Structure formats: structure tokens, C-alpha cells
PDB file of all heavy atoms in Angstrom:
ATOM      1  N   SER A  99     -44.421 -88.734  54.594  1.00 94.00           N
ATOM      2  CA  SER A  99     -45.426 -89.837  55.010  1.00 94.00           C
ATOM      3  C   SER A  99     -45.106 -91.047  54.231  1.00 94.00           C
ATOM      4  O   SER A  99     -44.882 -91.103  53.064  1.00 94.00           O
ATOM      5  CB  SER A  99     -46.815 -89.252  54.714  1.00 94.00           C
ATOM      6  OG  SER A  99     -47.839 -90.274  55.154  1.00 94.00           O
ATOM      7  N   SER A 100     -45.176 -92.232  54.893  1.00 91.00           N
ATOM      8  CA  SER A 100     -45.033 -93.544  54.372  1.00 91.00           C
ATOM      9  C   SER A 100     -43.547 -93.604  53.634  1.00 91.00           C
ATOM     10  O   SER A 100     -42.620 -93.285  54.274  1.00 91.00           O
ATOM     11  CB  SER A 100     -46.093 -93.820  53.331  1.00 91.00           C
ATOM     12  OG  SER A 100     -46.184 -95.069  53.094  1.00 91.00           O
ATOM     13  N   ALA A 101     -43.472 -93.959  52.433  1.00 92.00           N
ATOM     14  CA  ALA A 101     -42.218 -94.039  51.798  1.00 92.00           C
ATOM     15  C   ALA A 101     -41.557 -92.640  51.727  1.00 92.00           C
ATOM     16  O   ALA A 101     -40.370 -92.502  51.762  1.00 92.00           O
ATOM     17  CB  ALA A 101     -42.344 -94.572  50.237  1.00 92.00           C
ATOM     18  N   GLY A 102     -42.456 -91.590  51.650  1.00 94.00           N
ATOM     19  CA  GLY A 102     -41.877 -90.161  51.790  1.00 94.00           C
ATOM     20  C   GLY A 102     -41.202 -89.898  53.103  1.00 94.00           C
ATOM     21  O   GLY A 102     -40.283 -89.067  53.170  1.00 94.00           O
ATOM     22  N   ALA A 103     -41.794 -90.653  54.100  1.00 96.00           N
ATOM     23  CA  ALA A 103     -41.043 -90.378  55.389  1.00 96.00           C
ATOM     24  C   ALA A 103     -39.693 -91.004  55.472  1.00 96.00           C
ATOM     25  O   ALA A 103     -38.718 -90.432  56.063  1.00 96.00           O
ATOM     26  CB  ALA A 103     -41.921 -91.071  56.546  1.00 96.00           C
ATOM     27  N   ILE A 104     -39.522 -92.148  54.757  1.00 96.00           N
ATOM     28  CA  ILE A 104     -38.207 -92.826  54.742  1.00 96.00           C
ATOM     29  C   ILE A 104     -37.186 -91.856  53.956  1.00 96.00           C
ATOM     30  O   ILE A 104     -36.107 -91.621  54.426  1.00 96.00           O
ATOM     31  CB  ILE A 104     -38.309 -94.133  54.017  1.00 96.00           C
ATOM     32  CG1 ILE A 104     -39.157 -95.067  54.856  1.00 96.00           C
ATOM     33  CG2 ILE A 104     -36.918 -94.716  53.817  1.00 96.00           C
ATOM     34  CD1 ILE A 104     -39.432 -96.482  54.232  1.00 96.00           C
ATOM     35  N   ASN A 105     -37.631 -91.371  52.791  1.00 97.00           N
ATOM     36  CA  ASN A 105     -36.769 -90.451  52.022  1.00 97.00           C
ATOM     37  C   ASN A 105     -36.420 -89.182  52.757  1.00 97.00           C
ATOM     38  O   ASN A 105     -35.297 -88.667  52.841  1.00 97.00           O
ATOM     39  CB  ASN A 105     -37.489 -90.159  50.713  1.00 97.00           C
ATOM     40  CG  ASN A 105     -37.373 -91.176  49.683  1.00 97.00           C
ATOM     41  OD1 ASN A 105     -36.371 -92.105  49.757  1.00 97.00           O
ATOM     42  ND2 ASN A 105     -38.264 -91.267  48.735  1.00 97.00           N
ATOM     43  N   ALA A 106     -37.504 -88.511  53.369  1.00 98.00           N
ATOM     44  CA  ALA A 106     -37.322 -87.403  54.186  1.00 98.00           C
ATOM     45  C   ALA A 106     -36.404 -87.570  55.299  1.00 98.00           C
ATOM     46  O   ALA A 106     -35.499 -86.735  55.614  1.00 98.00           O
ATOM     47  CB  ALA A 106     -38.632 -86.875  54.730  1.00 98.00           C
ATOM     48  N   ALA A 107     -36.512 -88.590  56.010  1.00 98.00           N
ATOM     49  CA  ALA A 107     -35.556 -88.926  57.236  1.00 98.00           C
ATOM     50  C   ALA A 107     -34.129 -89.069  56.717  1.00 98.00           C
ATOM     51  O   ALA A 107     -33.232 -88.502  57.366  1.00 98.00           O
ATOM     52  CB  ALA A 107     -36.004 -90.269  57.925  1.00 98.00           C
ATOM     53  N   PHE A 108     -33.885 -89.830  55.614  1.00 98.00           N
ATOM     54  CA  PHE A 108     -32.610 -90.018  55.091  1.00 98.00           C
ATOM     55  C   PHE A 108     -31.905 -88.711  54.624  1.00 98.00           C
ATOM     56  O   PHE A 108     -30.870 -88.294  54.949  1.00 98.00           O
ATOM     57  CB  PHE A 108     -32.565 -91.074  54.046  1.00 98.00           C
ATOM     58  CG  PHE A 108     -32.450 -92.437  54.462  1.00 98.00           C
ATOM     59  CD1 PHE A 108     -33.520 -93.233  54.105  1.00 98.00           C
ATOM     60  CD2 PHE A 108     -31.521 -92.906  55.320  1.00 98.00           C
ATOM     61  CE1 PHE A 108     -33.580 -94.682  54.591  1.00 98.00           C
ATOM     62  CE2 PHE A 108     -31.596 -94.252  55.762  1.00 98.00           C
ATOM     63  CZ  PHE A 108     -32.594 -95.135  55.394  1.00 98.00           C
ATOM     64  N   PHE A 109     -32.766 -87.887  53.942  1.00 98.00           N
ATOM     65  CA  PHE A 109     -32.342 -86.593  53.329  1.00 98.00           C
ATOM     66  C   PHE A 109     -32.054 -85.606  54.454  1.00 98.00           C
ATOM     67  O   PHE A 109     -31.027 -84.835  54.422  1.00 98.00           O
ATOM     68  CB  PHE A 109     -33.287 -86.036  52.347  1.00 98.00           C
ATOM     69  CG  PHE A 109     -32.800 -84.708  51.728  1.00 98.00           C
ATOM     70  CD1 PHE A 109     -31.879 -84.808  50.789  1.00 98.00           C
ATOM     71  CD2 PHE A 109     -33.451 -83.610  52.096  1.00 98.00           C
ATOM     72  CE1 PHE A 109     -31.353 -83.624  50.134  1.00 98.00           C
ATOM     73  CE2 PHE A 109     -32.989 -82.440  51.347  1.00 98.00           C
ATOM     74  CZ  PHE A 109     -32.022 -82.404  50.500  1.00 98.00           C
ATOM     75  N   ALA A 110     -32.817 -85.674  55.559  1.00 98.00           N
ATOM     76  CA  ALA A 110     -32.560 -84.775  56.736  1.00 98.00           C
ATOM     77  C   ALA A 110     -31.332 -84.925  57.358  1.00 98.00           C
ATOM     78  O   ALA A 110     -30.687 -84.073  57.976  1.00 98.00           O
ATOM     79  CB  ALA A 110     -33.800 -84.906  57.639  1.00 98.00           C
ATOM     80  N   GLY A 111     -30.775 -86.147  57.294  1.00 98.00           N
ATOM     81  CA  GLY A 111     -29.470 -86.475  57.832  1.00 98.00           C
ATOM     82  C   GLY A 111     -28.244 -85.826  57.180  1.00 98.00           C
ATOM     83  O   GLY A 111     -27.257 -85.613  57.699  1.00 98.00           O
ATOM     84  N   ARG A 112     -28.564 -85.589  55.873  1.00 98.00           N
ATOM     85  CA  ARG A 112     -27.546 -85.041  55.076  1.00 98.00           C
ATOM     86  C   ARG A 112     -28.140 -84.248  53.879  1.00 98.00           C
ATOM     87  O   ARG A 112     -28.191 -84.610  52.771  1.00 98.00           O
ATOM     88  CB  ARG A 112     -26.582 -86.132  54.484  1.00 98.00           C
ATOM     89  CG  ARG A 112     -25.291 -85.836  53.846  1.00 98.00           C
ATOM     90  CD  ARG A 112     -24.605 -87.141  53.479  1.00 98.00           C
ATOM     91  NE  ARG A 112     -23.396 -86.915  52.715  1.00 98.00           N
ATOM     92  CZ  ARG A 112     -22.725 -87.926  52.165  1.00 98.00           C
ATOM     93  NH1 ARG A 112     -23.114 -89.202  52.187  1.00 98.00           N
ATOM     94  NH2 ARG A 112     -21.550 -87.639  51.415  1.00 98.00           N
ATOM     95  N   PRO A 113     -28.689 -83.026  54.223  1.00 98.00           N
ATOM     96  CA  PRO A 113     -29.604 -82.296  53.345  1.00 98.00           C
ATOM     97  C   PRO A 113     -28.914 -81.492  52.281  1.00 98.00           C
ATOM     98  O   PRO A 113     -28.958 -80.357  52.313  1.00 98.00           O
ATOM     99  CB  PRO A 113     -30.413 -81.435  54.284  1.00 98.00           C
ATOM    100  CG  PRO A 113     -29.409 -81.181  55.398  1.00 98.00           C
ATOM    101  CD  PRO A 113     -28.533 -82.404  55.559  1.00 98.00           C
ATOM    102  N   ASN A 114     -28.164 -82.139  51.363  1.00 98.00           N
ATOM    103  CA  ASN A 114     -27.474 -81.447  50.290  1.00 98.00           C
ATOM    104  C   ASN A 114     -27.273 -82.473  49.079  1.00 98.00           C
ATOM    105  O   ASN A 114     -27.846 -83.525  49.199  1.00 98.00           O
ATOM    106  CB  ASN A 114     -25.998 -80.990  50.788  1.00 98.00           C
ATOM    107  CG  ASN A 114     -25.247 -82.172  51.527  1.00 98.00           C
ATOM    108  OD1 ASN A 114     -25.373 -83.376  51.150  1.00 98.00           O
ATOM    109  ND2 ASN A 114     -24.477 -81.883  52.522  1.00 98.00           N
ATOM    110  N   LEU A 115     -26.461 -81.976  48.135  1.00 98.00           N
ATOM    111  CA  LEU A 115     -26.398 -82.856  46.946  1.00 98.00           C
ATOM    112  C   LEU A 115     -25.736 -84.159  47.180  1.00 98.00           C
ATOM    113  O   LEU A 115     -26.199 -85.149  46.718  1.00 98.00           O
ATOM    114  CB  LEU A 115     -25.658 -82.027  45.828  1.00 98.00           C
ATOM    115  CG  LEU A 115     -25.415 -82.723  44.515  1.00 98.00           C
ATOM    116  CD1 LEU A 115     -26.852 -83.199  43.922  1.00 98.00           C
ATOM    117  CD2 LEU A 115     -24.726 -81.867  43.557  1.00 98.00           C
ATOM    118  N   ASP A 116     -24.759 -84.136  47.979  1.00 98.00           N
ATOM    119  CA  ASP A 116     -23.970 -85.472  48.374  1.00 98.00           C
ATOM    120  C   ASP A 116     -25.015 -86.383  49.113  1.00 98.00           C
ATOM    121  O   ASP A 116     -25.062 -87.592  48.791  1.00 98.00           O
ATOM    122  CB  ASP A 116     -22.872 -85.149  49.292  1.00 98.00           C
ATOM    123  CG  ASP A 116     -21.673 -84.535  48.558  1.00 98.00           C
ATOM    124  OD1 ASP A 116     -21.646 -84.505  47.376  1.00 98.00           O
ATOM    125  OD2 ASP A 116     -20.847 -83.957  49.203  1.00 98.00           O
ATOM    126  N   GLY A 117     -25.879 -85.832  49.979  1.00 98.00           N
ATOM    127  CA  GLY A 117     -26.817 -86.613  50.630  1.00 98.00           C
ATOM    128  C   GLY A 117     -27.882 -87.231  49.668  1.00 98.00           C
ATOM    129  O   GLY A 117     -28.244 -88.426  49.843  1.00 98.00           O
ATOM    130  N   ALA A 118     -28.355 -86.364  48.732  1.00 98.00           N
ATOM    131  CA  ALA A 118     -29.319 -86.916  47.790  1.00 98.00           C
ATOM    132  C   ALA A 118     -28.602 -87.991  46.918  1.00 98.00           C
ATOM    133  O   ALA A 118     -29.401 -88.974  46.603  1.00 98.00           O
ATOM    134  CB  ALA A 118     -29.825 -85.816  46.801  1.00 98.00           C
ATOM    135  N   ARG A 119     -27.363 -87.813  46.530  1.00 97.00           N
ATOM    136  CA  ARG A 119     -26.786 -88.912  45.664  1.00 97.00           C
ATOM    137  C   ARG A 119     -26.548 -90.148  46.526  1.00 97.00           C
ATOM    138  O   ARG A 119     -26.522 -91.290  46.043  1.00 97.00           O
ATOM    139  CB  ARG A 119     -25.541 -88.236  45.143  1.00 97.00           C
ATOM    140  CG  ARG A 119     -25.716 -87.337  44.077  1.00 97.00           C
ATOM    141  CD  ARG A 119     -24.510 -86.675  43.489  1.00 97.00           C
ATOM    142  NE  ARG A 119     -24.839 -85.866  42.320  1.00 97.00           N
ATOM    143  CZ  ARG A 119     -23.988 -84.936  41.752  1.00 97.00           C
ATOM    144  NH1 ARG A 119     -22.840 -84.763  42.337  1.00 97.00           N
ATOM    145  NH2 ARG A 119     -24.384 -84.278  40.856  1.00 97.00           N
ATOM    146  N   ALA A 120     -26.288 -89.910  47.863  1.00 97.00           N
ATOM    147  CA  ALA A 120     -26.078 -91.226  48.732  1.00 97.00           C
ATOM    148  C   ALA A 120     -27.422 -91.971  48.907  1.00 97.00           C
ATOM    149  O   ALA A 120     -27.406 -93.116  48.865  1.00 97.00           O
ATOM    150  CB  ALA A 120     -25.608 -90.733  50.070  1.00 97.00           C
ATOM    151  N   LEU A 121     -28.553 -91.152  48.877  1.00 97.00           N
ATOM    152  CA  LEU A 121     -29.844 -91.804  48.891  1.00 97.00           C
ATOM    153  C   LEU A 121     -30.074 -92.474  47.536  1.00 97.00           C
ATOM    154  O   LEU A 121     -30.697 -93.663  47.632  1.00 97.00           O
ATOM    155  CB  LEU A 121     -30.905 -90.743  49.129  1.00 97.00           C
ATOM    156  CG  LEU A 121     -32.327 -91.180  49.429  1.00 97.00           C
ATOM    157  CD1 LEU A 121     -32.432 -92.210  50.429  1.00 97.00           C
ATOM    158  CD2 LEU A 121     -33.251 -90.010  49.715  1.00 97.00           C
ATOM    159  N   ARG A 122     -29.699 -91.878  46.560  1.00 97.00           N
ATOM    160  CA  ARG A 122     -29.839 -92.646  45.164  1.00 97.00           C
ATOM    161  C   ARG A 122     -29.121 -93.949  45.265  1.00 97.00           C
ATOM    162  O   ARG A 122     -29.594 -94.931  44.731  1.00 97.00           O
ATOM    163  CB  ARG A 122     -29.228 -91.616  44.132  1.00 97.00           C
ATOM    164  CG  ARG A 122     -28.954 -92.315  42.757  1.00 97.00           C
ATOM    165  CD  ARG A 122     -28.187 -91.508  41.869  1.00 97.00           C
ATOM    166  NE  ARG A 122     -28.875 -90.633  41.077  1.00 97.00           N
ATOM    167  CZ  ARG A 122     -29.451 -90.820  39.880  1.00 97.00           C
ATOM    168  NH1 ARG A 122     -29.254 -92.029  39.300  1.00 97.00           N
ATOM    169  NH2 ARG A 122     -30.086 -89.887  39.247  1.00 97.00           N
TER     170      ARG A 122
END
């Protein structure tokens, strides 16, 4: 929800450690 929706959506596209680091 809200900012959490943005993070959730990005992570869902690449739901692994590489994806988390790309979001970072």
C-alpha cells in the first residue's frame, strides 16, 4: 500500500536478492 505498493511492485518483478539490490 502506498510507498509499500511501489516497493512490492518492483520486488515482484525480480523477487530475489539481485532484485532487492536493484531496488536499493
Side-chain angles (χ1 to χ4, degrees):
S99 182
S100 199
I104 297 175
N105 283 335
F108 280 119
F109 184 70
R112 197 175 171 187
N114 51 37
L115 183 56
D116 287 343
R119 288 175 174 167
L121 184 56
R122 166 194 275 268

